[in-house]
Amino acid sequence: MPLYSDEAVVLRTRKLAEADRIITLLTRDHGIVRAVAKGVRRTTSRFGSRLEPFTHVDLQLAEGRNLDVITQAVTRAPFGEAISADYDRYTAASVMLETAERLVAEEREPSVQQYLLLIGGLRAMAAGEHRAGDVMDSFLLRSLAVAGYAPSFSDCARCGAPGPHRAFHPESGGVLCADCRMPGSAQPAAATLVLLGALLAGDWGTVDAAGDRERREARGLVAAYLAWHLERGLRSLPYASS
């Protein structure tokens, strides 16, 4: 079988037969790849611990008819060690993994920007320098932007009228001016919209200084915007701390 190499983040795993696992990966050059890790559940496995969710790995794979086979795995960064030690980080990072898999829907379609964004998000989550929920929300907004769904938090998302505006409508792409406002639009606080813009831009000085009320309101709007564009909710999102 032809061999190829790539670097990847382990997104999830599931059992196969008595000792194998199917590993879902987001790779740098091959997009989403689902591959078999043979014998990985045995205690004698050479690389079982290297193929756990959140781990950044270098891989060698053999092309298969239905699923490729992982033949070598070397850890580049064990993000899972720090992430799994804290409930808030673990649940927030789980949302990030599920989102990445959903937004890179086509297998073997390269998505280097999404891959690099996920690596950066996991690195920030593992470092613990910012609140886990803020890292998650920033990742979600930026991941949506990379996928072509960038929200507007200042100018009107429909007519482009300069902001700031106060009505937020996920289906319309963000904030709306008074003329474009749609029924059912949310009316977040001005400080919440500033926070959302900072999360999208990665302005951590502004994010870290935000109040809890604005943070909670922003999280709800991010979740609504994500659910609209994914067309169904994430299984992991309800477990992330509010």
Side-chain angles (χ1 to χ4, degrees), residues 30-106:
H30 297 82
I32 295 290
V33 171
R34 291 174 174 84
V36 175
K38 294 184 178 295
V40 76
R41 290 160 54 202
R42 296 193 181 102
T43 56
T44 56
S45 171
R46 291 177 296 130
F47 46 71
S49 62
R50 304 171 195 170
L51 295 174
E52 294 294 330
F54 312 115
T55 308
H56 184 199
V57 289
D58 278 325
L59 298 174
Q60 184 180 78
L61 303 98
E63 294 182 4
R65 181 177 300 176
N66 297 313
L67 294 170
D68 295 347
V69 177
I70 297 172
T71 59
Q72 292 183 20
V74 177
T75 301
R76 293 183 65 130
F79 296 129
E81 292 180 4
I83 289 172
S84 298
D86 180 88
Y87 179 80
D88 288 347
R89 291 187 206 172
Y90 177 81
T91 54
S94 295
V95 173
M96 292 163 58
L97 296 190
E98 188 179 355
T99 300
E101 184 176 359
R102 292 276 295 276
L103 286 176
V104 187
E106 295 294 327

Side-chain angles (χ1 to χ4, degrees), residues 2-241:
L3 298 175
Y4 67 95
S5 298
D6 207 340
E7 59 181 86
V9 174
V10 179
L11 300 181
R12 61 187 173 95
T13 70
R14 68 180 174 91
K15 295 178 181 179
L16 178 68
E18 294 184 359
D20 306 338
R21 278 199 179 109
I22 296 176
I23 314 294
T24 301
L25 307 152
L26 176 56
T27 68
R28 180 186 178 98
D29 297 325
H30 297 82
I32 295 290
V33 171
R34 291 174 174 84
V36 175
K38 294 184 178 295
V40 76
R41 290 160 54 202
R42 296 193 181 102
T43 56
T44 56
S45 171
R46 291 177 296 130
F47 46 71
S49 62
R50 304 171 195 170
L51 295 174
E52 294 294 330
F54 312 115
T55 308
H56 184 199
V57 289
D58 278 325
L59 298 174
Q60 184 180 78
L61 303 98
E63 294 182 4
R65 181 177 300 176
N66 297 313
L67 294 170
D68 295 347
V69 177
I70 297 172
T71 59
Q72 292 183 20
V74 177
T75 301
R76 293 183 65 130
F79 296 129
E81 292 180 4
I83 289 172
S84 298
D86 180 88
Y87 179 80
D88 288 347
R89 291 187 206 172
Y90 177 81
T91 54
S94 295
V95 173
M96 292 163 58
L97 296 190
E98 188 179 355
T99 300
E101 184 176 359
R102 292 276 295 276
L103 286 176
V104 187
E106 295 294 327
E107 293 193 25
R108 300 193 178 280
E109 286 294 324
S111 185
V112 177
Q113 284 184 292
Q114 289 284 5
Y115 172 78
L116 294 175
L117 187 63
L118 182 58
I119 292 291
L122 292 176
R123 183 177 291 114
M125 191 71 76
E129 296 176 356
H130 308 288
R131 292 175 178 86
D134 291 343
V135 175
M136 176 188 74
D137 286 338
S138 179
F139 171 83
L140 296 179
L141 290 174
R142 297 169 87 175
S143 186
L144 284 163
V146 167
Y149 308 123
S152 174
F153 296 123
S154 178
D155 297 344
C156 179
R158 298 191 70 185
C159 72
H165 304 294
R166 291 288 301 281
F168 182 85
H169 195 247
E171 294 92 328
S172 299
V175 294
L176 300 176
C177 66
D179 292 336
C180 295
R181 178 172 177 164
M182 300 290 289
S185 296
Q187 190 81 9
T192 300
L193 292 172
V194 171
L195 172 58
L196 286 165
L199 288 165
L200 179 59
D203 177 1
W204 288 104
T206 299
V207 172
D208 291 339
D212 290 341
R213 179 179 178 181
E214 290 77 21
R215 188 172 280 109
R216 286 192 297 270
E217 190 173 32
R219 187 146 306 149
L221 295 176
V222 171
Y225 193 79
L226 179 71
W228 170 257
H229 287 288
L230 293 183
E231 298 182 352
R232 58 187 173 92
L234 299 175
R235 290 171 297 175
S236 55
L237 190 57
Y239 299 98
S241 297

